[in-house]
Amino acid sequence: MTDNPFQISHWKLAHGRSLELGARGVLMAIINVTPDSFSDGGRYMQAEAAVAAALRAVEEGAAILDIGGESTRPDAEPVSAEEEQARILPVIAALARQSDAIISVDTYRAETARLAVRAGAHIVNDVHGLQREPAIAGVAAETGAGLCIMHTGRDRQKLADVIEDQCRFLERSLEIAADAGISRERIVLDPGFGFAKDTEENLQLMARFGDLHRFGLPILVGTSRKRFIGAVTGRDAQARDVGTAATTALLRAAGAAIFRVHDVAINRDALMIADAMLAEQISRRDMEP
């Protein structure tokens, strides 16, 4: 692995798939099959609506579809594993039949992850960083799924420094992954913007984003419509897509590889500008004696 975030790598995924990272930013579309997600709850509760939204996202430029059946907003009502699975498995199975897009399952539950990969998912995206149900690491290892390990500050005592806290948490998560036999070429990290982080902490994460490349792994970011964007812009959740696109461009320039978003089209444009600028910078550097 390398600490150069723009060097091309291939993220190894389930079902023999892989995804090239580094050369261009990659978009992951959020498809919440939930009644209570913070900005789009209830829009895609019916499987047909969720599938249609996912297929539109692919047309707009999403390479990954992230399917979730339990809201992760603060104070959300928990759902049972059975309910989560009933919501998402038909959507994943339909998308696997109807699209070549890469499918991610947003879950921390080992059994949900196992069933989702069986239904056609390629990636397991765990917002608890393998530390709520460590058995999910075994599922990723057994199925060959790509794994997104997210940092969270919830339900634990954080360190005062945001980067030190990232390192402590993610190092533990990577130990769990290694113990399960997951190779690093199957892992991306997510600093968990908004998860038990106030506005200042989120802005510090953006300002010091380069420090996260010490892990030598690709980084996924999920700033979309988050509260700190509203704190800066004064916008309600539904009106934060322009602010989100600004964070997308800034974080791409700082080396983020994957961008988990609600509005694919506006973030696609932001990435095109950022990637064009980065290509020019690389070209000029290569021409220097």
Side-chain angles (χ1 to χ4, degrees), residues 147-185:
L147 180 63
C148 180
I149 295 173
M150 198 194 81
H151 172 282
T152 182
R154 293 180 183 173
D155 302 320
R156 65 182 188 83
Q157 186 68 38
K158 297 188 298 182
L159 297 178
D161 182 85
V162 294
I163 298 300
E164 289 182 9
D165 193 68
Q166 290 277 326
C167 291
R168 181 174 71 173
F169 184 91
L170 293 173
E171 284 167 359
R172 175 58 187 144
S173 294
L174 289 169
E175 288 175 1
I176 295 170
D179 289 344
I182 301 170
S183 64
R184 289 174 67 86
E185 66 185 355

Side-chain angles (χ1 to χ4, degrees), residues 36-38 71-77 154 194-197 226-227:
D36 57 345
S37 292
F38 77 96
S71 174
T72 57
R73 67 175 176 80
D75 303 318
E77 288 293 324
R154 293 180 183 173
F195 280 75
K197 300 173 182 70
K226 291 290 175 71
R227 187 177 301 174

Side-chain angles (χ1 to χ4, degrees), residues 6-281:
F6 304 112
Q7 181 169 311
I8 294 175
S9 63
H10 291 86
W11 188 15
K12 301 299 184 183
L13 313 174
H15 309 300
R17 297 289 295 273
S18 66
L19 181 64
E20 183 178 285
L21 302 176
R24 298 182 184 84
V26 172
L27 289 166
M28 170 188 274
I30 299 167
I31 308 295
N32 289 319
V33 193
T34 61
D36 57 345
S37 292
F38 77 96
S39 77
D40 60 357
R43 292 185 63 186
Y44 310 128
M45 273 299 294
Q46 299 301 315
E48 295 82 359
V51 170
L55 295 176
R56 285 195 301 272
V58 173
E59 291 178 357
E60 292 172 348
I64 308 171
L65 302 170
D66 192 42
I67 315 300
E70 181 174 2
S71 174
T72 57
R73 67 175 176 80
D75 303 318
E77 288 293 324
V79 302
S80 68
E82 293 76 13
E83 177 64 22
E84 178 190 37
Q85 293 157 17
R87 291 174 179 180
I88 65 173
L89 294 179
V91 175
I92 291 170
L95 289 171
R97 291 192 303 269
Q98 297 180 43
S99 173
D100 289 330
I102 291 167
I103 302 168
S104 168
V105 58
D106 180 1
T107 187
Y108 60 84
R109 292 185 173 98
E111 185 59 20
T112 298
R114 187 188 309 278
L115 293 172
V117 176
R118 185 181 300 168
H122 307 92
I123 296 165
V124 173
N125 178 15
D126 182 1
V127 299
H128 289 277
L130 313 181
Q131 296 189 40
R132 181 159 173 174
E133 283 196 20
I136 200 170
V139 172
E142 293 162 14
T143 61
L147 180 63
C148 180
I149 295 173
M150 198 194 81
H151 172 282
T152 182
R154 293 180 183 173
D155 302 320
R156 65 182 188 83
Q157 186 68 38
K158 297 188 298 182
L159 297 178
D161 182 85
V162 294
I163 298 300
E164 289 182 9
D165 193 68
Q166 290 277 326
C167 291
R168 181 174 71 173
F169 184 91
L170 293 173
E171 284 167 359
R172 175 58 187 144
S173 294
L174 289 169
E175 288 175 1
I176 295 170
D179 289 344
I182 301 170
S183 64
R184 289 174 67 86
E185 66 185 355
R186 294 192 179 275
I187 298 173
V188 303
L189 301 179
D190 179 350
F193 283 95
F195 280 75
K197 300 173 182 70
D198 62 23
T199 297
E200 181 181 357
E201 288 171 314
N202 285 297
L203 293 174
Q204 282 189 31
L205 266 182
M206 288 187 63
R208 300 171 63 189
F209 194 80
D211 290 344
L212 299 177
H213 297 309
R214 68 183 66 184
F215 290 102
L217 290 166
I219 302 176
L220 179 153
V221 294
T223 60
S224 189
R225 300 180 182 172
K226 291 290 175 71
R227 187 177 301 174
F228 82 96
I229 294 176
V232 173
T233 64
R235 303 283 187 182
D236 292 335
Q238 292 284 353
R240 295 174 188 164
D241 290 321
V242 173
T244 298
T247 67
T248 292
L250 290 166
L251 289 168
R252 177 59 184 152
I258 305 170
F259 301 82
R260 184 178 183 274
V261 301
H262 295 87
D263 188 316
V264 172
I266 194 171
N267 286 281
R268 175 179 175 272
D269 287 357
L271 277 182
M272 290 177 74
I273 296 296
D275 281 333
M277 181 199 71
L278 289 167
E280 181 65 21
Q281 287 180 336

